[in-house]
């Protein structure tokens, strides 16, 4: 009974195996059965063969124990051994330093670093944090997002790495319940916010490595989250936030010609449950997709302004620039030369402040002019039209307010939650 | 996969490789792990040990059917057209079920490159879910297209052709504008090439589509940009001026360019 459960290709199980660098569940099943049969079966007396049987059975349960999830016992955000070692090696992040001292940390500050595990056998239970500890760790990490002492890249780097370790601990222990879903949702939110904030800080048109790596982990965390939703389908048919998190996948893949990160949308839609497809959030995402693919810039921009949630906006932001670019291109190339396009109207079309519109046109090598009454106009079919060489700066988006950085952590809590200042005040005896 | 490796090596058994590939495809599609097809395809198409023409016809048809479907999902229409057409042409004319399966994916592809199936084809193979869509394309009836998509939404989403069909909207717009142009030409040939945006708004209203002038201007600009309409628009006078020659170019077997 137990064995059958273990040999099912549970998706969580597959992910855990990926961590432990084994190829597929079928091959590890094979090796397991091979191990079983590789023990010599004595053919002599019945007593020795029964002893062998007992030995084989004991080995089988040991192997099963290895396949069973580890239950972590580490009571701190960072295993003691790791903290002491990193203190010695001066490998402490800025947030982990006690009074800024690079050689000293404390259980309240040190957080377990992400590290690829080589094999399941080497992981000790004392190095893995149980669920309650992981929850508090995550809450602590997310509270750092409000910090104004450090530039966002520094905060991001730390939270990025430490949440990755949290995810790893969750998967290693095969925690697939509601609480895991809650945590993965928060982690995805973090990556989405970073996706937005890292983009605005990088100046060149090429995506910075930090931004790219963040997108990579965003996709991985999102995929894990979808697997969790599926795994919990029998106990809870649809989670309350599932629709919004599913919509993120669509919004990440608006551009079918771009780098395909995972399944194509046509394939992906095939196994989305029907109630999700009919949800408000998914409806928005599909509308955005439709308008984007058709090139209907007017509807795309106005719909996003009217209906996108903050997180959806963060994801869709790069496409907003692309659509505005398309709009400018169309208007510039297809409009009658003797009727310059009023900037006021262009501002409405692009959903941009009029002052920004002028800068936007200039970035494309276009000059604006003024008519007798003082209205600003864009003459069309200029020969100097060209794509901007560097990246585009950040332009306003009408009808949308940027969230202040001090309010970021409020995105993670739907109801009023007291975040303890010292997460482990109940643990005694630390310096 | 082990069997696949064995077949690749031995001489006489190579012939079975494609059959096995197709079985793998069926499994991957059923399991939902379609991305695993890629490595199998690579070994068939790049390995010099396989000569595609050697394989039995039945396997070639099945192979082209599955790879054609993959091209549809990735929206590579010319490739999808080539593969699915091959499958259709070489398919046993007696096996109606198989022909139906091929057509289910070939029709959206053909529609995307501007080729419409005849009504008897849809009826014969029981693909009536496409009839309204074809009708909408013929008439420039935007309302009918949207209605047809909504009516069969679940079915189209499950088969994975929904997004392909959604994109046909631009062609429907083109057809609608062409009809308005033809009517105008009948009334007054000298002025037919100028189309007021308000007229388009009125036509759309008649189709129960609520669009303001700004959005119509946007659609017009996009159609011109994608070469579905030849001409330009004048913002102040809110008019589209169409080219005197071939203002509504046909797709000619190519998908709408972006």
């Amino acid at each position: 009974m137990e064995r059958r459960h273990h040999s099912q290709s549970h998706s969580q199980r597959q992910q855990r195996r990926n961590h432990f660098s084994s190829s597929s569940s079928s091959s590890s099943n094979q090796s397991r059965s091979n191990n079983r049969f590789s023990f010599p079966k004595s053919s002599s007396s019945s007593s020795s063969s029964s002893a062998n049987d007992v030995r084989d059975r004991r080995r089988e349960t040991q192997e099963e124990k290895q396949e069973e999830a580890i239950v972590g016992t580490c009571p701190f955000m960072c295993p003691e051994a790791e903290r002491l070692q990193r203190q010695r090696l001066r490998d402490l992040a800025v947030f982990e330093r006690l009074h800024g001292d690079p050689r000293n940390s404390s259980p309240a500050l040190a957080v377990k670093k992400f590290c690829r595990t080589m094999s399941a056998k080497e992981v000790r239970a004392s190095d893995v944090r149980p669920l309650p500890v992981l929850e508090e760790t995550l809450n602590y990490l997310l509270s750092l997002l409000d910090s104004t002492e450090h530039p966002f890249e520094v905060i991001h780097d730390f939270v990025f790495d430490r949440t990755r370790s949290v995810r790893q601990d969750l998967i290693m222990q095969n925690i697939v319940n509601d609480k895991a879903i809650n945590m993965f949702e928060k982690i995805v939110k973090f990556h989405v916010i970073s996706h937005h904030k890292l983009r605005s800080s990088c100046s060149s048109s090429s995506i910075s490595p930090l931004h790219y790596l963040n997108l990579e982990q965003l996709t991985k965390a999102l995929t894990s989250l979808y697997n969790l939703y599926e795994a919990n389908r029998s106990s809870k048919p649809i989670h309350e936030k599932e629709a919004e998190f599913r919509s993120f996948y669509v919004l990440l893949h608006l551009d079918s010609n771009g780098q395909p990160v995972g399944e194509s949308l046509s394939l992906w839609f095939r196994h989305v449950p029907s109630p999700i497809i009919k949800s408000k959030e998914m409806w928005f995402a599909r509308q955005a997709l439709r308008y984007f693919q058709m090139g209907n810039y007017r509807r795309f921009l106005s719909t996003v302004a009217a209906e996108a949630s903050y997180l959806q906006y963060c994801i869709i932001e790069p496409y907003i620039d692309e659509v505005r670019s398309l709009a400018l291109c169309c208007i510039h190339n297809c409009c009658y030369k003797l009727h310059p396009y009023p900037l006021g109207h262009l501002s409405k079309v692009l959903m941009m402040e009029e002052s920004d519109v002028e800068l936007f046109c200039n970035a494309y090598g276009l000059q604006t002019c003024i008519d007798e009454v003082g209205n600003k106009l864009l003459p069309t079919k200029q020969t100097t039209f060209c794509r901007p060489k560097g990246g585009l700066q950040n332009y306003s988006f009408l009808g949308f307010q940027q969230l202040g950085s001090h309010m970021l952590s409020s995105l993670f809590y739907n109801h009023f939650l007291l975040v303890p200042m010292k997460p482990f005040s109940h643990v005694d005896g630390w310096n | 996969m082990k069997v696949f490796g064995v077949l690749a090596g031995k001489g006489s058994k190579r012939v079975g490789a494609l059959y096995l590939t197709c079985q793998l495809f069926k499994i991957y599609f059923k399991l939902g792990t379609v991305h695993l097809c890629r490595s199998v395809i690579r070994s068939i198409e790049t390995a010099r040990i396989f000569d595609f023409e050697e394989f039995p016809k039945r396997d070639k048809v099945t192979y082209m059917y599955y790879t054609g479907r993959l091209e549809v999902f990735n929206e590579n229409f010319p490739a999808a057209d080539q593969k699915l057409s091959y499958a259709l042409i070489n398919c046993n004319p007696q096996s109606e079920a198989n022909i139906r399966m091929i057509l289910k994916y070939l029709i959206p592809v053909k529609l995307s490159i501007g080729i419409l199936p005849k009504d008897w084809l849809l009826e014969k193979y029981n693909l009536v879910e496409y009839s309204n869509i074809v009708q909408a394309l013929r008439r420039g009836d935007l309302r009918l297209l949207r209605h047809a998509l909504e009516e069969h939404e679940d079915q189209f989403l499950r088969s994975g052709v929904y997004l392909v069909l959604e994109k046909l909207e631009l062609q429907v717009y083109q057809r609608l504008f062409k009809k308005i142009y033809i009517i105008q030409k009948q009334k007054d040939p000298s002025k037919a090439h100028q189309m007021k945006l308000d007229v388009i708004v009125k036509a759309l209203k008649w189709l129960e589509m609520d669009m303001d002038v700004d959005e119509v201007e946007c659609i017009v600009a996009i159609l011109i940009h994608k070469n579905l309409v030849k001409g330009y628009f004048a913002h102040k006078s809110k008019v589209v001026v169409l080219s005197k020659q071939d203002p509504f170019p046909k797709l000619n077997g190519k998908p709408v360019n972006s």
Side-chain angles (χ1 to χ4, degrees):
Chain A
M1 210 33 197
E2 261 185 0
R3 202 162 309 142
R4 222 174 295 139
H5 168 74
H6 287 160
S7 37
Q8 272 173 14
S9 58
H10 194 261
S11 45
Q12 278 291 308
R13 194 153 280 282
Q14 276 219 335
Q15 280 187 346
R16 189 156 60 84
R17 294 219 176 87
N18 284 339
H19 267 293
F20 300 175
S21 66
S22 67
S23 45
S24 67
S25 59
S26 58
S27 70
S28 57
N29 276 341
Q30 268 236 325
S31 60
R32 197 150 39 104
S33 51
N34 278 342
N35 279 338
R36 227 182 297 144
F37 296 130
S38 66
F39 296 119
K41 261 193 150 51
S42 160
S43 55
S44 51
S45 63
S46 54
S47 57
S48 57
S49 67
S50 67
N52 276 332
D53 281 352
V54 170
R55 190 167 13 122
D56 287 342
R57 238 175 285 131
R58 215 181 323 126
R59 284 220 171 81
E60 279 169 24
T61 46
Q62 267 180 14
E63 278 160 1
E64 277 175 23
K65 278 225 186 76
Q66 274 175 8
E67 291 306 325
E68 259 173 37
I70 300 165
V71 179
T73 58
C74 171
F76 306 114
M77 292 200 289
C78 181
E80 182 114 28
E82 179 188 318
R83 176 172 64 85
L84 294 172
Q85 185 193 42
R86 287 204 282 129
Q87 278 176 189
R88 259 197 324 272
L89 298 173
R90 299 194 195 196
D91 181 18
L92 293 173
V94 148
F95 301 95
E96 294 172 314
R97 296 177 192 172
L98 194 60
H99 307 306
D101 182 358
R103 289 164 304 178
N104 228 341
S105 182
S106 80
L109 295 174
V111 185
K112 183 179 173 191
K113 241 181 153 177
F114 172 73
C115 164
R116 287 179 209 283
T117 51
M118 280 300 116
S119 87
K121 297 179 192 129
E122 289 177 12
V123 174
R124 295 175 296 196
S126 57
D127 282 342
V128 178
R129 299 159 287 182
L131 181 60
V133 178
L134 287 172
E135 283 181 307
E136 293 192 36
T137 307
L138 184 60
N139 288 342
Y140 168 69
L141 289 171
L142 294 176
S143 71
L144 294 175
L145 289 176
D146 283 344
S147 153
T148 45
E149 287 171 32
H150 303 95
F152 185 75
E153 281 86 359
V154 175
I155 305 176
H156 164 84
D157 207 29
F158 182 68
V159 178
F160 174 93
D161 180 80
R162 302 308 194 259
T163 49
R164 202 171 171 190
S165 173
V166 167
R167 273 194 282 141
Q168 188 183 38
D169 276 6
L170 279 172
I171 291 177
M172 253 198 263
Q173 297 176 85
N174 208 17
I175 301 176
V176 295
N177 56 18
D178 257 15
K179 302 203 171 173
I181 288 184
N182 203 314
M183 291 180 71
F184 268 88
E185 284 178 350
K186 287 188 183 158
I187 294 178
V188 168
K189 274 190 192 176
F190 157 69
H191 284 297
V192 170
I193 292 170
S194 290
H195 186 67
H196 163 63
K197 295 197 79 145
L198 288 176
R199 191 173 169 268
S200 34
S201 62
C202 75
S203 47
S204 65
S205 62
S206 63
I207 300 177
S208 78
L210 220 55
H211 187 258
Y212 178 79
L213 290 171
N214 181 61
L215 183 59
E216 202 181 28
Q217 291 307 314
L218 167 57
T219 318
K220 281 198 182 153
L222 207 53
T223 311
S224 300
L225 180 59
Y226 294 157
N227 289 338
L228 285 174
Y229 286 139
E230 285 300 323
N232 280 286
R233 199 61 79 193
S234 49
S235 57
K236 200 170 184 179
I238 299 291
H239 286 260
E240 53 176 293
K241 295 194 219 112
E242 187 176 346
E244 185 173 12
F245 283 89
R246 290 271 185 186
S247 73
F248 293 165
Y249 190 90
V250 178
L251 297 175
L252 283 170
H253 292 78
L254 283 188
D255 187 0
S256 55
N257 297 326
Q259 280 299 319
V261 187
E263 269 190 325
S264 73
L265 275 177
S266 287
L267 272 173
W268 185 82
F269 270 118
R270 282 169 85 196
H271 43 81
V272 176
S274 201
I276 304 267
I277 293 196
K278 302 205 195 308
S279 69
K280 169 177 74 110
E281 294 87 349
M282 193 54 104
W283 176 244
F284 163 73
R286 287 175 61 199
Q287 293 286 78
L289 177 68
R290 198 171 117 229
Y291 297 142
F292 181 84
Q293 303 236 325
M294 254 188 33
N296 188 338
Y297 47 82
R298 176 116 179 101
R299 278 273 172 135
F300 179 84
L301 293 168
S302 56
T303 309
V304 170
E307 291 181 34
S309 70
Y310 179 71
L311 293 172
Q312 286 171 327
Y313 170 77
C314 287
I315 296 183
I316 215 174
E317 199 184 11
Y319 296 112
I320 292 178
D321 276 342
E322 217 176 296
V323 171
R324 281 171 165 171
S325 175
L326 172 71
L328 188 63
C329 198
C330 285
I331 290 173
H332 176 261
N333 291 337
C334 308
C335 190
Y336 187 41
K337 196 166 180 179
L338 297 180
H339 285 185
Y341 208 86
L343 248 54
H345 199 255
L346 192 56
S347 144
K348 235 176 62 179
V349 171
L350 297 177
M351 300 293 303
M352 208 191 264
E353 299 273 355
E354 205 172 315
S355 48
D356 276 349
V357 174
E358 202 170 339
L359 294 169
F360 187 69
C361 293
N362 292 337
Y364 281 82
L366 299 175
Q367 301 301 318
T368 56
C369 63
I370 302 185
D371 69 5
E372 327 73 66
V373 200
N375 294 324
K376 290 211 169 136
L377 306 166
L378 174 71
T380 57
K381 302 218 200 272
Q382 296 182 35
T383 49
T384 48
F385 183 76
C386 65
R387 299 241 165 239
K389 279 174 195 106
L392 288 172
Q393 65 171 81
N394 277 330
Y395 299 103
S396 51
F397 189 60
L398 290 178
F400 197 89
Q401 271 174 328
Q402 296 285 344
L403 213 60
S405 59
H406 61 282
M407 286 165 62
L408 280 179
S409 65
S410 64
L411 282 171
F412 297 94
Y413 303 106
N414 295 328
H415 48 279
F416 192 65
L417 252 186
L418 275 171
V419 181
M421 287 309 291
K422 286 219 180 309
F424 303 103
S425 46
H426 62 280
V427 178
D428 297 320
W430 59 32
N431 47 343
Chain B
M1 288 306 285
K2 270 202 178 141
V3 184
F4 192 79
V6 166
L7 284 175
K10 305 270 169 73
S12 58
K13 291 189 188 166
R14 265 194 288 145
V15 155
L18 202 61
Y19 174 76
L20 191 67
T21 309
C22 296
Q23 296 305 313
L24 277 172
F25 282 162
K26 281 188 197 154
I27 295 172
Y28 290 149
F29 269 73
K30 275 241 157 68
L31 280 180
T33 54
V34 175
H35 56 281
L36 293 172
C37 294
R38 222 179 295 152
S39 52
V40 180
I41 292 173
R42 219 180 297 142
S43 28
I44 289 280
E45 295 197 344
T46 59
R48 266 170 275 139
I49 41 172
F50 292 128
D51 180 12
F52 194 68
E53 293 310 313
E54 273 182 13
F55 294 121
K57 196 178 200 186
R58 172 200 61 186
D59 292 336
K60 282 195 277 191
V61 168
T62 315
Y63 179 80
M64 282 302 202
Y65 165 72
Y66 278 107
T67 49
R69 272 179 76 179
L70 287 175
E71 301 285 10
V72 175
F73 294 146
N74 293 329
E75 298 188 359
N76 295 333
F77 296 133
D81 184 19
Q82 183 222 353
K83 295 193 169 152
L84 290 171
S85 297
Y86 178 98
L88 186 66
I89 291 168
N90 291 301
C91 187
N92 184 354
Q94 308 293 343
S95 48
E96 288 203 359
N98 285 346
I99 293 186
R100 181 176 188 277
M101 276 162 59
I102 298 172
L103 281 174
K104 197 161 88 153
Y105 291 93
L106 186 56
I107 287 176
V109 172
K110 289 283 194 194
L111 291 177
S112 302
I113 57 177
I115 299 174
L116 271 56
K118 300 267 188 286
D119 284 335
W120 65 259
L121 188 72
L122 297 177
E123 275 170 32
K124 179 173 179 189
Y125 294 103
N126 193 23
L127 289 164
V128 286
E129 61 262 30
Y130 292 123
S131 339
N132 276 344
I133 296 183
V134 174
Q135 181 85 301
L137 275 169
R138 271 202 207 113
R139 303 208 304 218
D141 191 342
L142 202 60
R143 178 181 48 183
L144 188 59
L145 176 72
R146 294 210 181 151
H147 177 78
L149 282 175
E150 210 181 300
E151 196 184 335
H152 301 285
E153 188 182 70
D154 279 338
Q155 191 179 14
F156 289 147
L157 279 172
R158 298 291 158 226
S159 54
V161 295
Y162 186 89
L163 296 179
V164 174
L165 294 171
E166 222 178 26
K167 287 222 247 287
L168 295 173
E169 206 170 280
L170 281 176
Q171 287 162 251
V172 176
Y173 275 116
Q174 186 203 40
R175 185 76 190 141
L176 178 66
F177 290 4
K178 188 170 185 179
K179 286 214 148 164
I180 298 175
Y181 170 71
I182 291 172
I183 292 173
Q184 283 190 193
K185 211 170 182 183
Q186 285 173 346
K187 274 166 92 176
D188 187 353
S190 60
K191 290 228 189 95
H193 63 283
Q194 283 183 18
M195 207 185 286
K196 289 215 178 101
L197 294 184
D198 282 326
V199 171
I200 301 177
V201 173
K202 235 187 258 176
L204 288 167
K205 236 194 197 120
W206 182 74
L207 281 172
E208 290 169 12
M209 303 262 112
D210 215 355
M211 265 186 225
D212 60 13
V213 175
D214 291 329
E215 195 182 341
V216 171
E217 184 187 271
C218 166
I219 304 269
V220 165
I222 279 291
L223 287 174
I224 296 175
H225 180 78
K226 296 198 182 217
N227 211 32
L228 283 168
V229 169
K230 279 216 186 111
Y232 59 86
F233 69 90
H235 175 74
K236 216 167 28 174
S237 35
K238 306 233 179 290
V239 158
V240 182
V241 179
L242 300 165
S243 157
K244 297 257 172 73
Q245 282 176 328
D246 192 23
F248 301 101
K250 287 199 185 251
L251 285 178
N252 276 335
K254 291 206 198 93
V256 177
N257 67 339
S258 36

